[in-house]
Amino acid sequence: MTALYSDDGLPPIRDVIRDFGLAAKKSLGQNFLTDLNLTGKIARAAGDLSNSIIYEVGPGPGALTRALLMNGAHKVVAVEMDERCIAAQQQIAAAYPGRLDIIEGDALKMDEPALIGETGDKTVRIVANLPYNVGTALLVKWLTLEKWPPWYASLTLMFQKEVGDRIVAAPRSKAYGRLSVLAQYRAHARRLFDVPARAFVPPPKVTSCIVGITPVAERASTPSQKVLEKVVSAAFSQRRKMLRASLKGLGVDPLPRLQAAGIAETARAEELTIDDFCRLARVYEM
């Protein structure tokens, strides 16, 4: 029986997984999307792609890659660590001549601007179903760049719902923490929609979600990212303790610094707003 083909003339993703022997590897955090309607929704959530170069991490058998190309992406640069998936990606590249670059390697070690090269008048966007085991580390890498605004215009990423909740969490909530501050102090972060476990092969044990993050220009009063990260990490390392105790890990007396920032020494990390943390970090810069 002849398999049904998708709108781009390529085999259904489930057939690709079967034909290329792409059993998901737990060690690589793999859970493959198979529904091109869903991946199309993710691609559209990233905005108008017609003038965009898309950087994709962990494309696997290529459901999202194909959706990005079908939705008009000027070009996709895909980084894949699993050599088994390269052949499946090459099949897509053949169907979209000149529009898909495939790089085998570890995304955590990539110099993305050098990899992408000259962009001309094109906008770079990151769109990815991130492997669960490196998703947070990649996000932190992209949020803590020294040069800001960054080389990308937006992030449209899939995470476990629990991680997505942490990214967009507000102060005084259980999910609010280091990742919330890093994602929100110089960017807008929002959860776009959930993705059920049944959308994956194999289905994970958790619900996933799509998060959109758009960088914003730093204000003149924005603190050094490195100083902010140290203050935030120290504050949340012992989140149940008052700041007068948790900030001692920075090696200096926190009391005069808290006073200078107008923050109560008895406050806890989860009570501080993004502006509070920025103000405190600026005091630590002095």
Side-chain angles (χ1 to χ4, degrees):
M1 180 177 179
T2 303
L4 293 175
Y5 282 66
S6 64
D7 290 344
D8 59 2
L10 292 169
I13 295 297
R14 288 181 181 272
D15 289 1
V16 173
I17 292 171
R18 180 199 65 208
D19 294 345
F20 287 92
L22 301 180
K25 288 185 177 181
K26 188 175 182 180
S27 62
L28 295 177
Q30 291 176 330
N31 296 90
F32 298 140
L33 288 168
T34 59
D35 185 346
L36 287 175
N37 289 321
L38 174 60
T39 55
K41 184 178 180 180
I42 297 170
R44 290 188 295 274
D48 182 1
L49 306 183
S50 60
N51 199 45
S52 296
I53 297 172
I54 307 300
Y55 182 67
E56 183 187 6
V57 172
L64 182 55
T65 311
R66 287 164 61 175
L68 291 165
L69 292 166
M70 282 192 287
N71 278 272
H74 174 75
K75 187 176 185 179
V76 175
V77 177
V79 172
E80 176 56 66
M81 194 171 186
D82 186 352
E83 63 181 11
R84 302 174 307 151
C85 296
I86 301 299
Q89 286 286 308
Q90 289 171 339
Q91 184 182 57
I92 302 171
Y96 293 92
R99 293 177 61 197
L100 174 60
D101 289 349
I102 309 151
I103 296 92
E104 183 179 348
D106 184 349
L108 285 170
K109 298 177 181 178
M110 291 294 169
D111 178 350
E112 296 95 343
L115 192 69
I116 295 168
E118 291 296 324
T119 59
D121 63 347
K122 301 295 183 290
T123 298
V124 179
R125 302 180 186 277
I126 304 177
V127 186
N129 167 23
L130 295 177
Y132 283 160
N133 59 344
V134 295
T136 301
L138 281 169
L139 178 61
V140 171
K141 175 188 177 184
W142 295 328
L143 290 174
T144 57
L145 297 171
E146 190 169 335
K147 185 178 180 181
W148 202 268
W151 50 269
Y152 57 85
S154 65
L155 303 166
T156 306
L157 304 172
M158 184 181 296
F159 297 97
Q160 295 181 45
K161 186 174 178 292
E162 178 185 351
V163 176
D165 288 344
R166 287 163 51 201
I167 293 169
V168 304
R172 297 181 180 273
S173 65
K174 186 177 179 181
Y176 185 67
R178 170 176 172 264
L179 196 58
S180 315
V181 179
L182 293 182
Q184 296 175 41
Y185 94 100
R186 55 183 181 181
H188 294 306
R190 64 197 190 285
R191 200 170 78 202
L192 302 178
F193 55 88
D194 291 344
V195 180
R198 65 178 179 274
F200 299 87
V201 173
K205 296 179 181 180
V206 296
T207 298
S208 300
C209 70
I210 302 297
V211 175
I213 299 174
T214 305
V216 296
E218 291 183 330
R219 301 183 299 271
S221 58
T222 301
S224 156
Q225 181 275 320
K226 290 183 179 180
V227 175
L228 178 68
E229 189 171 6
K230 287 180 180 179
V231 171
V232 172
S233 294
F236 281 105
S237 66
Q238 303 178 76
R239 63 182 298 147
R240 293 186 179 182
K241 290 190 175 182
M242 297 177 185
L243 291 172
R244 65 187 181 195
S246 60
L247 293 178
K248 286 182 178 178
L250 294 174
V252 293
D253 185 359
L255 295 183
R257 289 161 178 79
L258 287 165
Q259 186 176 20
I263 296 171
E265 64 182 70
T266 55
R268 291 175 172 80
E270 64 186 33
E271 298 174 38
L272 269 60
T273 65
I274 306 295
D275 284 343
D276 289 336
F277 272 116
C278 287
R279 197 166 62 253
L280 183 58
R282 288 196 297 274
V283 171
Y284 272 88
E285 282 183 310
M286 298 176 184

